[in-house]
Amino acid sequence: MPTTVKGIVATAKGEPVELTDIVIPDPGPGEVIVDVKSCGVCHTDFHYREGGIGDDFPYLLGHESAGIVAEIGEGVTNVDVGDFVILNWRAICGECRACKRGEPWYCFDTHNATQKMTLTDGTELEAALGIGSFAEKTLVAAGQCTKVDEADPAVVGLLGCGIMAGIGAAINTGEVTRGDSVAVIGCGGVGSAAVAGAHLAGASPIIAVDFDERKLDAARELGATDTICSKGMSEDELVAAVQELTGGFGADVVIDAVGRPETWRQAFYARVWPAPSCSSACRPRRWS
Ligand SMILES: [Zn+2]
Ligand SMILES: [Zn+2]
C-alpha cells in the first residue's frame, strides 16, 4: 500500500517551501523505503528552491540524512528492514570506466529509485539529489543506503553530504598529501570538513579563511594551523595573507568552499605560482 507522509516541497522558483502530504509508493525491485531520523539543512536545498539546479519543480527537498530501513523491494540484499543507514546521493554502478579504475566518485551511471514519489494529486516529485529526505519517509535505490552502526542520526547523517564533500575535496580532488600547504576558503560544513581532510592527510600549514571568528575557532579544533579572518579584506589582501603564511609561495592546494566568483579568484591566485607549465621543475599544483 502506498504510504502518505509529510514532506517539505519547493513548488516553484523562489516561492516559500511547503510542508505537505506526499505519497511514497511500495518499493519496487532494488528500491528501499527509509524512515528518516534526521536531515541536515544544506545550501544545495536552497539552490533547488531558487531554481539554481534545475527547473523540474516540484522538488522534495533534503538530502543529508540518516534513518532506518522500513521496507525493501524485490532483490534487495545489501540492507534489511531495521538497518540503520546513512543516505548517499547516488548508488554507484560498479561497472563503468570510472568505477573500474577505482574512482567511483566519478561514476557515470549512478542509480536512484526508479519510481517517483508524488503529491496526493499524483504530481511527480523530483527528489533533491535523488534522496528527498525532508520527509518522514523517503524512497531510494538500495545502493543509496550505507549501513552503519547505530549512532546519533543528526551527527552521522552529515556524512551523507557536507563531510564527504569536504573531505573528498581535500583527499580525492585536491590530492592533498603529507607536507602540503593547504588553504580552505569558507569554513561552513563543507569547508570545515575540508580542513579535517587536509589534517587527516598530514598537510601543514592548513590555513582556514572565513569572516566569522566562531567558524575559525571550530576550524582550529578540526586541524587548522592558521586562520585568516577575511572580513573587510580585499581579494588581493587575502591572497597576500595566504602567501605570507606559506613562505611567500602560496598554498599547494586551495579549496574554495564558498563557490562565489570572488572566492574562486582568490583560490586561483592564492595557489603556488608560477603555473606548472612555466617549468618542468615546478612541483605539480592542484586545487579544487
Ligand atoms: Zn548537501
Ligand atoms: Zn560506475
Side-chain angles (χ1 to χ4, degrees):
M1 279 276 290
T3 317
T4 301
V5 298
K6 295 286 185 193
I8 294 179
V9 173
T11 54
K13 183 176 178 176
E15 291 297 316
V17 298
E18 291 177 10
L19 176 64
T20 189
D21 286 341
I22 62 167
V23 180
I24 318 271
D26 289 335
E31 293 177 339
V32 168
I33 292 177
V34 175
D35 279 333
V36 177
K37 296 298 178 191
S38 76
C39 186
V41 179
C42 176
H43 212 88
T44 301
D45 294 301
F46 178 70
H47 286 314
Y48 271 106
R49 203 284 299 262
E50 294 299 292
I53 295 193
D55 206 19
D56 298 321
F57 292 94
Y59 288 108
L60 175 60
L61 300 180
H63 60 275
E64 191 174 60
S65 286
I68 293 173
V69 174
E71 291 181 52
I72 60 172
E74 192 188 322
V76 172
T77 56
N78 65 316
V79 288
D80 212 339
V81 172
D83 284 349
F84 183 82
V85 295
I86 296 169
L87 298 182
N88 61 72
W89 304 332
R90 304 284 191 268
I92 57 165
C93 75
E95 291 172 2
C96 71
R97 182 169 175 268
C99 284
K100 280 184 173 165
R101 69 189 297 189
E103 296 181 337
W105 49 91
Y106 294 131
C107 177
F108 306 141
D109 191 20
T110 53
H111 303 157
N112 296 135
T114 311
Q115 302 181 87
K116 297 282 189 191
M117 294 174 275
T118 66
L119 296 173
T120 50
D121 67 0
T123 305
E124 291 189 343
L125 291 161
E126 281 299 319
L129 289 172
I131 292 181
S133 53
F134 278 157
E136 292 166 300
K137 292 175 188 285
T138 191
L139 178 76
V140 294
Q144 290 182 261
C145 295
T146 303
K147 186 177 170 181
V148 295
D149 290 343
E150 193 151 351
D152 181 350
V155 175
V156 293
L158 301 176
L159 288 166
C161 182
I163 293 179
M164 70 165 180
I167 288 185
I171 294 178
N172 294 329
T173 313
E175 297 176 353
V176 171
T177 191
R178 186 163 295 279
D180 273 347
S181 54
V182 176
V184 178
I185 300 178
C187 294
V190 173
S192 300
V195 167
H199 181 60
L200 285 171
S204 184
I206 300 169
I207 303 161
V209 181
D210 203 288
F211 51 68
D212 185 333
E213 291 283 4
R214 291 169 306 171
K215 291 183 178 176
L216 294 175
D217 288 344
R220 243 178 246 115
E221 285 180 28
L222 291 168
T225 58
D226 299 272
T227 56
I228 298 173
C229 183
S230 55
K231 198 169 190 175
M233 273 189 174
S234 69
E235 285 183 35
D236 290 347
E237 284 169 338
L238 175 62
V239 170
V242 172
Q243 288 171 337
E244 193 179 322
L245 288 167
T246 50
F249 293 111
D252 295 307
V253 179
V254 183
I255 294 167
D256 173 14
V258 179
R260 297 177 58 89
E262 304 91 303
T263 52
W264 199 89
R265 280 193 297 270
Q266 288 170 337
F268 189 74
Y269 288 112
R271 294 180 307 157
V272 172
W273 284 91
S277 57
C278 296
S279 159
S280 58
C282 290
R283 69 167 298 203
R285 280 158 289 274
R286 310 166 297 272
W287 68 307
S288 62

